[in-house]
Amino acid sequence: MIDSVFRQRDFSLEAADALSKGGLHPLLARLYAARGVSTADELALELKHLISPTQLSQCLSTATILADALAANKPMLVVADYDCDGATACAVAVRGLRLLGGPNTNIHFLVPNRFTMGYGLTPEVVDLAATQTPKPAILITVDNGIASDAGVERARELGMDVIVTDHHLPGDCIPRALAIVNPNQTGCGFPSKALAGVGVVFYLLIALRAELRQRGMFTTDTQPKIENLLDLVALGTVADVAQLDYNNRILVANGLRRMRQGIGQPGIAALFNVAGRDIRKATAGDLGFAIGPRLNAAGRLADMTLGIQLLLADDVDVALRIAQELDRINRERRVIEGGMQEAALAHLAEEQLDGLVAARSALCLWNANWHQGVVGIVASRLKERFNRPAIVFAPADTEDVQSQLRGSGRSISGFHLRDALDLVSKREPGLILKFGGHAMAAGLTIDQASFARFDACFQAVADELLDDGLLARQYIHDGSLRPDELTVEIGDLLAEELWGQGFPQPVFYGEFEVISQALMKEKHLRLQLKPPGSAPGEKPVSGVWFNHTQTLPARVHLAYRLVADRFGGQARVQLMIEALDESIGTEA
């Protein structure tokens, strides 16, 4: 059994008091203070508060290169990644360059096939790009490229310049590109290292518009409104699980505002439609758990070209047809993922019989029948279930690399996955054929015959870097709510705020009497709960614990989220149960 630790998130009483005196609801003041907000100024999310592009290394000089290319009508090709961040970054680049350069701008896009060409600007992708008509003069990578030194060299050989826009951590070898815009490259002093790939592209467009304005192409009053692309920026940022620091919160908040106002891209509205979500009440949770997965499904099982076509569609009917196809692909993805997850858990159950899972600091699995496009999701599920870094591999699909495995990993707080893989590669040169990523997610390729050796080496690194404190499941909560705070009004108040990675949705903790409990659809626990101190005759509060079937004691301490439920048109408060604190004695 994995140990769990319940701990209240620290916060400054002085900051909470200052925020409350500034007009913020006292509960929100406490929650914001616990997330590092100390002044009301940090809650101002207008675009004018964005960090200036002048602080993003090579952003202005790259904008000059693009302005010259637009003036000469040079053919340009955007080389995208095949996830949601890459797709939205591609759409922002294409739409933005057309806005700034005019509808006849010579800009097209290409998405590598993840199953045959791998990740990034590989030489194979460059060879394919060179066959496009017209042949591109400039390749623009979005959400990739910082590790593509071989691809950049191939482009130089074929007479094509490369502009790299990326946010991933650089490796030891930096590509000799014409320009590199990446907040995480060495020497870049941009204060927000959390920009997603789509955010980097948006910043480049801001700088390009300023350069074109300086050249007299338009004035402040007549300039194209690239802020119309912020719904795409918001989607890509949230779906890529980028940290919602102040700068990213500005980008996401303004993107969500456009969605709620009904002035976003038809493709995003269509995705809300097929997901059964109300775009007028769009939240970051909708983007992360409903919209992003449907767009990602194209890159996982088919071709992300379909997803980018959706984001570039201006016709509502065309957008809806593509969104319906993506919804179908996503359902197929869920079936494949479910089968893979069952197989992985069955394998781990066998290991648990020997006590091995509890003794392992990390999980590495592969299966000859698993699908390459879904390994990342399965790794994420295993990481969440066992609170261990997890890497899941599937066979490479191409004929010339049948002996290779491609893996995707997800990590836990305190374990930098990309750095751990770098350490493995240094200790065992040649073991990892290629890898890349960041702290919480990474991808890699190894020889199938090397799996056992990789597993052993990765385990050794994890054993060194992880201790019992990090491996214990951490439930960081925001303290208790009074009985009179368990209301629909508080649920609505919380729902209107912007929560996400690095700025987590509030989780509360409290003691409850279990009035009744029953299974729903044989896999979810439906509860009626009463907190101590409830007024006489006060009705119990409804609670749901998804994917939990074990009955609870009569008195419990629970971690939960508070939501306002309006199913059937009737407003009521509901507790979404996250965990049971078993360290405190309970009544049977």
Side-chain angles (χ1 to χ4, degrees):
M1 179 137 186
I2 298 172
D3 292 333
S4 298
V5 176
F6 291 77
R7 179 174 62 83
Q8 183 171 348
R9 188 175 279 110
D10 296 328
F11 69 95
S12 163
L13 288 172
E14 292 80 5
D17 185 55
L19 291 170
S20 180
K21 288 180 178 177
L24 199 62
H25 187 285
L27 176 59
L28 289 181
R30 170 160 65 92
L31 296 174
Y32 274 120
R35 284 151 182 78
V37 176
S38 57
T39 68
D41 290 343
E42 297 172 69
L43 301 177
L45 299 179
E46 292 84 8
L47 288 173
K48 65 182 180 181
H49 297 298
L50 279 175
I51 299 169
S52 170
T54 60
Q55 298 189 57
L56 184 57
S57 181
Q58 297 188 46
C59 189
L60 300 189
S61 58
T62 305
T64 301
I65 294 171
L66 286 175
D68 291 341
L70 289 174
N73 199 29
K74 288 185 177 180
M76 291 180 282
L77 184 72
V78 178
V79 180
D81 187 18
Y82 35 67
D83 68 358
C84 191
D85 186 18
T88 52
C90 180
V92 167
V94 172
R95 282 189 176 276
L97 288 171
R98 287 174 180 168
L99 273 173
L100 296 172
N104 295 322
T105 299
N106 207 334
I107 179 76
H108 304 280
F109 73 90
L110 173 67
V111 187
N113 185 306
R114 75 184 301 162
F115 308 113
T116 61
M117 294 182 177
Y119 168 79
L121 187 71
T122 62
E124 294 82 2
V125 173
V126 173
D127 287 341
L128 179 60
T131 67
Q132 306 298 301
T133 303
K135 178 183 174 182
I138 299 176
L139 303 180
I140 305 171
T141 71
V142 294
D143 192 32
N144 73 92
I146 195 63
S148 301
D149 49 299
V152 171
E153 290 305 312
R154 181 59 177 158
R156 289 163 61 95
E157 292 173 6
L158 297 177
M160 294 181 289
D161 287 319
V162 179
I163 293 173
V164 170
T165 74
D166 202 350
H167 69 121
H168 293 98
L169 296 172
D172 295 331
C173 186
I174 305 300
R176 294 195 301 161
L178 180 63
I180 298 177
V181 185
N182 182 340
N184 289 300
Q185 67 178 309
T186 303
C188 182
F190 193 72
S192 174
K193 302 299 183 182
L195 270 185
V198 67
V200 175
V201 173
F202 185 73
Y203 258 82
L204 183 54
L205 291 178
I206 294 175
L208 175 58
R209 183 173 68 176
E211 173 65 23
L212 294 175
R213 192 170 58 238
Q214 187 173 347
R215 296 186 183 195
M217 298 290 292
F218 32 69
T219 67
T220 303
D221 294 330
T222 63
Q223 67 186 7
K225 297 184 181 299
I226 57 174
E227 55 269 27
N228 290 347
L229 307 174
L230 279 167
D231 56 340
L232 293 167
V233 178
L235 173 56
T237 299
V238 173
D240 208 49
V241 201
Q243 294 282 328
L244 291 189
D245 61 8
Y246 181 45
N247 206 61
N248 273 345
R249 292 206 310 279
I250 294 173
L251 293 172
V252 173
N254 282 276
L256 285 171
R257 185 177 298 119
R258 298 190 65 79
M259 295 179 202
R260 293 168 182 163
Q261 293 173 346
I263 53 176
Q265 313 305 319
I268 292 181
L271 286 172
F272 268 88
N273 186 326
V274 298
R277 302 289 180 107
D278 186 352
I279 197 169
R280 295 169 300 178
K281 300 176 181 178
T283 67
D286 291 328
L287 302 185
F289 297 108
I291 309 307
R294 283 170 170 79
L295 188 60
N296 265 330
R300 296 191 186 282
L301 299 189
D303 183 351
M304 187 48 95
T305 299
L306 186 65
I308 295 172
Q309 287 172 343
L310 170 70
L311 300 180
L312 293 176
D314 291 320
D315 184 277
V316 173
D317 293 332
V318 170
L320 183 58
R321 283 197 299 272
I322 299 176
Q324 289 168 339
E325 175 62 11
L326 290 177
D327 188 57
R328 183 197 65 76
I329 295 172
N330 189 53
R331 291 195 299 271
E332 180 184 346
R333 186 269 304 169
R334 288 177 180 171
V335 172
I336 295 172
E337 175 201 335
M340 287 173 58
Q341 189 172 336
E342 286 182 12
L345 292 176
H347 174 78
L348 292 174
E350 293 173 6
E351 288 199 342
Q352 274 185 311
L353 295 176
D354 298 324
L356 291 180
V357 168
R360 290 169 67 97
S361 298
L363 304 175
C364 295
L365 297 170
W366 85 277
N367 187 298
N369 297 317
W370 286 351
H371 195 289
Q372 197 185 120
V374 190
V375 289
I377 298 177
V378 176
S380 181
R381 300 286 191 268
L382 294 176
K383 180 266 295 185
E384 292 167 2
R385 179 155 183 169
F386 294 100
N387 202 54
R388 299 286 189 274
I391 300 179
V392 178
F393 292 90
D397 287 351
T398 53
E399 294 181 1
D400 56 333
V401 291
Q402 287 181 337
S403 62
Q404 291 182 0
L405 300 176
R406 289 180 182 158
S408 185
R410 299 294 184 269
S411 193
I412 61 176
S413 296
F415 186 78
H416 196 297
L417 187 54
R418 191 234 173 241
D419 286 356
L421 293 177
D422 188 48
L423 190 54
V424 171
S425 72
K426 286 180 169 60
R427 291 182 178 180
E428 296 279 350
L431 176 59
I432 302 179
L433 303 179
K434 55 184 176 181
F435 71 96
H438 45 81
M440 303 305 289
L444 70 159
T445 301
I446 63 173
D447 284 322
Q448 183 176 315
S450 301
F451 175 79
R453 189 158 61 99
F454 171 80
D455 185 18
C457 191
F458 187 66
Q459 294 296 329
V461 170
D463 288 342
E464 294 172 18
L465 300 179
L466 290 166
D467 57 29
D468 290 342
L470 291 172
L471 290 173
R473 193 183 300 279
Q474 302 282 331
Y475 289 105
I476 312 301
H477 59 80
D478 290 288
S480 301
L481 291 176
R482 302 186 309 270
D484 63 348
E485 291 178 312
L486 300 176
T487 64
V488 169
E489 290 74 22
I490 294 294
D492 286 337
L493 184 72
L494 296 174
E496 291 171 0
E497 301 303 308
L498 177 59
W499 315 106
Q501 185 69 17
F503 206 81
Q505 186 175 14
V507 173
F508 302 101
Y509 178 90
E511 180 183 0
F512 293 92
E513 178 186 354
V514 180
I515 305 300
S516 67
Q517 53 188 313
L519 282 182
M520 181 174 60
K521 297 182 179 179
E522 299 184 352
K523 61 179 181 178
H524 311 304
L525 193 61
R526 170 77 69 181
L527 301 160
Q528 292 295 313
L529 303 165
K530 208 163 194 179
S534 298
E538 187 77 24
K539 290 183 179 180
V541 179
S542 295
V544 177
W545 195 344
F546 287 111
N547 299 309
H548 184 92
T549 58
Q550 185 177 352
T551 55
L552 301 182
R555 191 170 293 276
V556 292
H557 289 76
L558 300 172
Y560 62 92
R561 291 181 291 108
L562 179 71
V563 301
D565 178 32
R566 287 181 168 78
F567 181 75
Q570 183 177 1
R572 59 180 180 177
V573 69
Q574 187 159 262
L575 309 186
M576 313 302 289
I577 310 303
E578 297 279 322
L580 166 69
D581 187 350
E582 299 182 86
S583 67
I584 298 178
T586 57
E587 298 177 11

